[in-house]
Amino acid sequence: MLLPPDGILGKDKRHAVAMTLLGHALFLEGRWDTLSCDKPASSSGKEVMSFYEKAMGQRSPNLEPLQYLRLCRLYLWTGKFYEAKDVAIKACKLLPSASSWLALGLACYKQNELGQAEEALCEANILDPSNPQVWGMLSVIAMEAGKPDESELALQQALKLGLSTSETFPVGTFILEQMARLQVKAGIFSLASSTLRRALETSNRAALHLLLAQTCLGENDLPAAAEACRQVLEHEVQPSEAERKDALTQLVAIYKRLKQPALVDKYSHMLKKVGAVAE
């Protein structure tokens, strides 16, 4: 970014407060505050991160809690989990909050440091026992640790408190989606189905519909599995080519099992068209 010579940073390139404010302006301009797994960022965030990093790295740094949390958000989204952990630790020391401890928990979880992640989330839970995202991540970690009963209790609390797909620190996969995948892996299909239906109340993501189809197949509910796959083909969902192909492949297999040749032919024809486009 070209800075105007008559601006604060044009006159003093080490003005930490000005760097922070410019970082905030770019953060909002890039709509990083509305970021979610359904709404990818329009930019890489490098420029925003650069100004925050410079503001915090000056000899007289600007120690503003909000910039730490926003930098954590950027680091977590872009996969810089080591850097996110470092900044989250500093945020927790500067001004401990449920959000700063949640950011630390997520960074540790993404680095497979489950013990540290659980400790951070417990600290967050102490500061705000009504935070659904904290309960949701505690449920995920309990499931990872092979404690399904404990995981289910934490999930029940998260859902009771309103856990949805709106998250403070999006990391590419919704907390509810992470939980459902672990439940499917463990063969707990009915619970996975409930988890996914909650996620679908606030998101129309194709991956959620496909995972719901998988859970329905696990419960041997073929009509429900077919409906979940059909949802992927709706225009509002905007699936990738791979997701569209996956849905059509499953529909062909499902209707073969249901002995409905007309629908088998319909979706087989659509699948061939998808294959032709891909070639």
Side-chain angles (χ1 to χ4, degrees):
M1 170 179 280
L2 185 62
L3 299 171
D6 58 342
I8 295 175
L9 287 174
K11 297 175 182 178
D12 181 1
K13 291 184 167 42
R14 297 181 180 179
H15 200 296
V17 174
M19 289 176 183
T20 295
L21 292 174
L22 186 51
H24 286 334
L26 292 170
F27 182 92
L28 295 173
E29 184 181 88
R31 298 186 64 79
W32 285 94
D33 57 322
T34 63
L35 181 71
S36 78
C37 297
D38 283 338
K39 298 177 183 177
S42 58
S43 67
S44 66
K46 288 182 180 178
E47 198 170 31
V48 190
M49 288 186 276
S50 175
F51 280 109
Y52 283 151
E53 288 163 352
K54 288 176 182 176
M56 293 161 59
Q58 296 301 310
R59 186 171 296 177
S60 298
N62 182 36
L63 304 178
E64 182 196 285
L66 180 59
Q67 79 174 337
Y68 282 83
L69 294 178
R70 285 182 168 177
L71 187 54
C72 277
R73 186 180 177 93
L74 292 165
Y75 280 151
L76 286 167
W77 178 258
T78 54
K80 296 183 177 182
F81 304 126
Y82 178 84
E83 292 85 347
K85 180 180 178 181
D86 182 58
V87 173
I89 289 172
K90 292 175 181 176
C92 290
K93 290 178 179 177
L94 179 64
L95 184 64
S97 66
S99 292
S100 62
W101 283 110
L102 173 60
L104 180 56
L106 285 166
C108 291
Y109 173 74
K110 283 297 183 177
Q111 295 185 100
N112 204 32
E113 299 168 346
L114 299 186
Q116 292 182 48
E118 185 174 14
E119 288 177 15
L121 292 166
C122 286
E123 290 291 338
N125 195 247
I126 291 169
L127 291 173
D128 183 6
S130 298
N131 189 310
Q133 295 172 65
V134 172
W135 281 107
M137 281 308 302
L138 283 169
S139 176
V140 168
I141 288 172
M143 198 68 185
E144 290 268 24
K147 303 173 183 176
D149 293 339
E150 186 177 316
S151 174
E152 185 173 354
L153 288 173
L155 179 60
Q156 287 175 357
Q157 187 66 13
L159 295 176
K160 180 181 177 182
L161 292 169
L163 181 63
S164 69
T165 57
S166 175
E167 299 174 351
T168 307
F169 301 102
V171 291
T173 306
F174 297 123
I175 294 173
L176 286 166
E177 185 180 347
Q178 293 178 64
M179 190 67 253
R181 290 191 183 281
L182 290 170
Q183 290 163 345
V184 169
K185 186 178 179 180
I188 312 173
F189 297 114
S190 60
L191 190 56
S193 179
S194 299
T195 303
L196 287 165
R197 292 184 192 284
R198 168 59 72 90
L200 285 164
E201 289 178 8
T202 50
S203 171
N204 208 19
R205 199 178 188 188
L208 297 175
H209 289 290
L210 287 170
L211 189 55
L212 179 59
Q214 190 178 340
T215 66
C216 293
L217 287 172
E219 295 180 283
N220 203 33
D221 188 346
L222 299 184
E227 176 58 28
C229 288
R230 283 197 300 271
Q231 288 298 318
V232 177
L233 306 180
E234 295 293 326
H235 294 299
E236 294 82 4
V237 177
Q238 297 182 328
S240 66
E241 285 301 313
E243 289 169 332
R244 185 176 176 81
K245 187 175 181 180
D246 187 4
L248 289 167
T249 300
Q250 289 196 56
L251 282 167
V252 171
I254 290 168
Y255 285 119
K256 281 182 179 178
R257 291 175 64 182
L258 290 172
K259 298 183 178 175
Q260 297 187 32
L263 290 174
V264 171
D265 290 344
K266 173 185 175 180
Y267 291 112
S268 294
H269 179 67
M270 291 174 67
L271 185 58
K272 285 179 183 177
K273 288 176 68 176
V274 170
V277 170
E279 291 172 6

